[in-house]
């Protein structure tokens, strides 16, 4: 159980019951919060980086959008990540409970937590999964005060 306040507890539980799948260069693997992951460790080492973040642009603030809206958001998100020059790998977050549709996502390698939080805040995300080589994956909340704005509102 986490120390998240009650309004966020169900979201926290849902994120922790999600497998964050990645299509890596050596095949598909899942990242789970609180665990280390050998394929991820190998990928980080091969890329020569220490840090990573897993995130999406789908369903900002956990509010379901249409497939068209989500696809457009993800397209803009991918373009933004390409501009950062961080290597990334596509994937999807799939809840083990089955009450939320899979969300196309990406693993961004080499990005530090602070930069990842800023990027996620632009897309209205509640939380991301981050880590450092050799350490378990962590759920990192984007506090409302960190949510600078949504790019969709300013384009």
């Amino acid at each position: 159980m986490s120390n998240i306040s009650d309004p966020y507890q169900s979201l926290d539980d849902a994120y922790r019951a999600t497998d964050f799948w990645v299509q890596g260069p050596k095949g598909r693997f899942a990242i789970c919060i609180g665990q280390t992951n050998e394929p991820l460790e190998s990928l980080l080492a091969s890329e020569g980086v220490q840090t990573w973040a897993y995130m999406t642009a789908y369903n900002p603030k956990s509010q379901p959008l249409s497939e068209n809206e989500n696809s457009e958001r993800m397209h803009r998100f991918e373009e933004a990540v390409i501009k950062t020059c961080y290597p990334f790998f596509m994937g999807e977050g799939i809840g083990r409970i089955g009450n939320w549709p899979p969300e196309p996502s990406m693993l961004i390698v080499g990005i530090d937590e602070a930069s990842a939080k800023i990027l996620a805040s632009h897309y209205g995300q509640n939380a991301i999964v981050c880590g450092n080589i050799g350490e378990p994956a962590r759920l990192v909340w984007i506090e409302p005060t960190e949510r600078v704005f949504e790019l969709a509102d300013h384009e």
Side-chain angles (χ1 to χ4, degrees), residues 108-123:
I108 305 169
V109 299
I111 192 169
D112 62 272
E113 183 178 315
S115 297
K117 287 171 73 173
I118 291 167
L119 183 58
S121 75
H122 286 304
Y123 290 89

Side-chain angles (χ1 to χ4, degrees), residues 66-80:
S66 73
E67 184 60 33
N68 285 342
E69 290 172 299
N70 276 325
S71 292
E72 179 58 33
R73 290 176 61 79
M74 196 65 186
H75 177 73
R76 288 194 314 268
F77 178 61
E78 186 174 342
E79 288 178 336

